[in-house]
């Protein structure tokens, strides 16, 4: 087919200018660095998600259970 060529977009041209002259070792180091950055971002997202779960789910459930145990909702029933 006639369209076996990869289109040269602005991002691809900039990428090739930045990383085109690297050897295999430097390329692997760049990939490792990018992977480490991604892991750090994902760990921060996981931590924030955990905090949200505690504030929005677990803590209200604990308060409701304590209210039932100590009779806070006795007047509502």
């Amino acid at each position: 087919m006639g369209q076996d060529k990869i289109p040269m977009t602005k991002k691809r041209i900039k990428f090739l200018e930045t990383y085109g002259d690297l050897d295999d070792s430097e390329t692997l180091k760049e990939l490792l660095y990018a992977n480490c950055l991604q892991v750090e971002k994902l760990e921060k997202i996981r931590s924030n998600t955990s905090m949200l779960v505690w504030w929005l789910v677990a803590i209200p459930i604990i308060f409701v259970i304590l209210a039932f145990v100590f009779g806070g909702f006795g007047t509502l029933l």
Side-chain angles (χ1 to χ4, degrees):
M1 312 297 166
Q3 295 196 344
D4 291 339
K5 244 176 132 176
I6 298 173
M8 295 299 282
T9 62
K10 289 180 183 179
K11 286 185 179 182
R12 181 174 295 277
I13 292 169
K14 184 176 180 183
F15 175 82
L16 290 175
E17 288 173 355
T18 305
Y19 299 107
D21 58 341
L22 299 179
D23 63 0
D24 289 343
S25 176
E26 292 170 331
T27 303
L28 289 174
K29 287 178 186 175
E30 288 291 328
L31 286 171
L32 183 61
Y33 178 70
N35 190 19
C36 288
L37 289 178
Q38 187 68 23
V39 167
E40 288 175 5
K41 288 178 185 177
L42 290 173
E43 181 61 28
K44 189 171 183 176
I45 290 170
R46 185 208 58 81
S47 174
N48 290 341
T49 303
S50 175
M51 183 67 72
L52 282 173
V53 166
W54 274 105
W55 279 103
L56 298 175
V57 176
I59 292 176
I61 290 173
I62 292 171
F63 283 142
V64 168
I65 291 172
L66 288 175
F68 274 120
V69 169
F70 292 113
F73 288 121
T75 58
L76 295 175
L77 298 175

